[in-house]
């Protein structure tokens, strides 16, 4: 046969690693896998449980009762003009989204090594599916938070006044999710190489909560020490979340710009690191 036969491939799998391993076309082709993984993660957590999906609400409700009892009643931390239940509920819902996204993605390689070693698909699909699942949980818990706000608006004398700041709410939630994804991607590689870092991640998340305005408003921190908490990029986002939803929050445009820039840099760096190191970890984990 004369001439040279040529074959057009959609994708070519090689042992060579790169910082940006997947095209937009390839990622779009796996959108159905992403949807299937989100559905799997969401349902798997509640199979063979007594309360089923009610666990999504039971955990924040139990945490809320504990925070109100300990930090408001016993310790006496002021929540400003906001009712303590509403203040803590807002912090809990947003913190759960961040911590669950971070913790879930940080174990990507350790929990899926058997799948990664047998089937090819863009590895980034797995952590994105985890964050997407946690976002669905966040939406359900957000419904609970709105119900609490409505209850206090109707039953108590406190009147919530929503303004145009409410339009900033999606930005706060999105940046929190990006920070959780970025940190999770970074530590997913580190925990795959060094198993003891898993314990450090769990401890770090617990400690991080205390320098994030989850159980206290930023206004209760003395001004000379406030900069310590404001170094945390989550601080402006939690304050923006409460400002947009509840009308109470201490945040400036510069602080938001700081969180935005740090979130973008962290996510881009983590994605590149995740892509470059991904295939090398198959023989390490």
């Amino acid at each position: 046969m004369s001439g040279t036969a040529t074959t057009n491939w959609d994708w070519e799998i090689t042992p060579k690693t790169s910082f940006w391993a997947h095209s937009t076309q390839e990622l779009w082709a796996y959108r159905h896998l992403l949807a299937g993984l989100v559905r799997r993660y969401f349902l798997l957590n509640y199979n063979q449980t007594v309360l089923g999906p009610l666990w999504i609400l039971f955990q924040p409700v139990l945490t809320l009762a504990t925070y109100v009892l300990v930090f408001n009643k016993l310790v006496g931390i002021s929540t400003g003009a906001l009712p303590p239940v509403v203040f803590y509920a807002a912090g809990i819902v947003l913190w759960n989204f961040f911590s669950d996204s971070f913790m879930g993605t940080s174990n990507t390689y350790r929990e899926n090594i058997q799948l990664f070693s047998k089937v090819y698909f863009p590895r980034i699909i797995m952590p994105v599916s985890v964050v997407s699942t946690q976002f669905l949980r966040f939406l359900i818990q957000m419904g609970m938070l709105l119900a609490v706000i409505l209850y206090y608006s109707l039953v108590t004398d406190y009147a919530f006044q929503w303004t145009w700041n409410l339009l900033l709410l999606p930005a706060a939630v999105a940046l929190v999710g990006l920070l959780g994804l970025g940190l999770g991607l970074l530590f997913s590689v580190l925990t795959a190489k060094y198993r003891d870092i898993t314990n450090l991640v769990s401890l770090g998340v617990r400690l991080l909560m205390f320098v994030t305005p989850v159980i206290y408003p930023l206004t209760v921190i003395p001004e000379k020490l406030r900069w310590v908490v404001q170094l945390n990029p989550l601080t402006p986002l939690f304050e923006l979340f409460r400002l947009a939803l509840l009308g109470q929050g201490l945040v400036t445009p510069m602080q938001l710009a700081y969180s935005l820039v740090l979130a973008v840099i962290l996510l881009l760096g983590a994605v590149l690191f995740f892509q470059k190191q991904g295939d090398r970890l198959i023989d390490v984990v």
Side-chain angles (χ1 to χ4, degrees):
M1 179 181 295
S2 61
T4 303
T6 60
T7 304
N8 294 324
W9 303 99
D10 293 327
W11 305 291
E12 182 180 1
I13 304 173
T14 67
K16 184 179 179 180
T17 62
S18 64
F19 284 106
W20 192 255
H22 310 294
S23 64
T24 305
Q25 177 187 4
E26 182 182 6
L27 295 176
W28 177 252
Y30 284 91
R31 64 190 183 278
H32 300 298
L33 173 62
L34 174 61
L37 288 172
V38 171
R39 182 177 181 274
R40 170 181 173 268
Y41 282 132
F42 188 82
L43 296 178
L44 188 63
N45 290 330
Y46 308 108
N47 283 340
Q48 297 180 328
T49 59
V50 176
L51 297 179
L54 289 179
W55 278 109
I56 299 176
L57 300 179
F58 181 76
Q59 184 266 341
V61 168
L62 185 61
T63 304
L64 175 61
T66 304
Y67 283 7
V68 172
L69 176 63
V70 175
F71 297 112
N72 183 252
K73 301 298 183 182
L74 297 181
V75 180
I77 297 177
S78 173
T79 57
L82 294 175
V85 172
V86 176
F87 178 88
Y88 290 126
I92 289 169
V93 167
L94 192 59
W95 177 256
N96 284 346
F97 177 46
F98 168 77
S99 62
D100 291 343
S101 297
F102 176 29
M103 294 294 294
T105 55
S106 67
N107 293 318
T108 296
Y109 277 101
R110 293 193 60 188
E111 294 182 353
N112 299 283
I113 185 59
Q114 296 297 327
L115 184 62
F116 287 166
S117 61
K118 295 178 180 178
V119 181
Y120 171 78
F121 60 92
R123 307 298 187 225
I124 195 70
I125 294 291
M126 196 64 72
V128 171
S129 68
V130 173
V131 176
S132 299
T133 304
Q134 298 305 328
F135 180 68
L136 290 179
R137 289 168 53 89
F138 167 80
L139 291 179
I140 296 174
Q141 295 180 2
M142 190 68 182
M144 179 201 72
L145 174 58
L146 293 177
V148 171
I149 294 174
L150 180 61
Y151 171 81
Y152 273 84
S153 298
L154 297 177
V155 177
T156 69
D157 295 332
Y158 190 88
F160 292 93
Q161 296 180 353
W162 288 329
T163 65
W164 289 107
N165 288 331
L166 189 63
L167 297 177
L168 298 174
L169 188 68
V173 175
L175 288 176
V176 168
L178 292 180
L179 283 171
L181 176 60
L183 286 172
L185 289 174
L186 177 63
F187 278 92
S188 67
V189 176
L190 298 178
T191 55
K193 289 185 175 182
Y194 313 103
R195 295 181 180 273
D196 54 342
I197 292 184
T198 303
N199 299 325
L200 181 62
V201 170
S202 300
L203 177 61
V205 169
R206 295 189 182 96
L207 296 178
L208 183 61
M209 191 190 75
F210 291 101
V211 291
T212 305
V214 177
I215 59 176
Y216 55 85
L218 192 59
T219 53
V220 304
I221 305 296
E223 290 189 13
K224 62 181 180 179
L225 298 177
R226 196 172 293 172
W227 66 272
V228 177
V229 179
Q230 290 175 331
L231 283 177
N232 178 5
L234 289 171
T235 295
L237 303 180
F238 273 72
E239 289 294 303
L240 178 63
F241 183 79
R242 289 196 177 100
L243 177 64
L245 188 61
L246 307 176
Q248 301 288 330
L250 183 62
V251 61
T252 65
M254 286 298 296
Q255 292 169 350
L256 291 179
Y258 165 72
S259 296
L260 173 61
V261 171
L262 197 60
V264 172
I265 293 176
L266 174 63
L267 181 62
L268 289 178
V271 168
L272 296 178
F273 184 58
F274 182 87
Q275 300 281 30
K276 182 64 176 178
Q277 297 293 324
D279 293 334
R280 299 177 179 177
L281 293 176
I282 299 300
D283 298 326
V284 175
V285 182

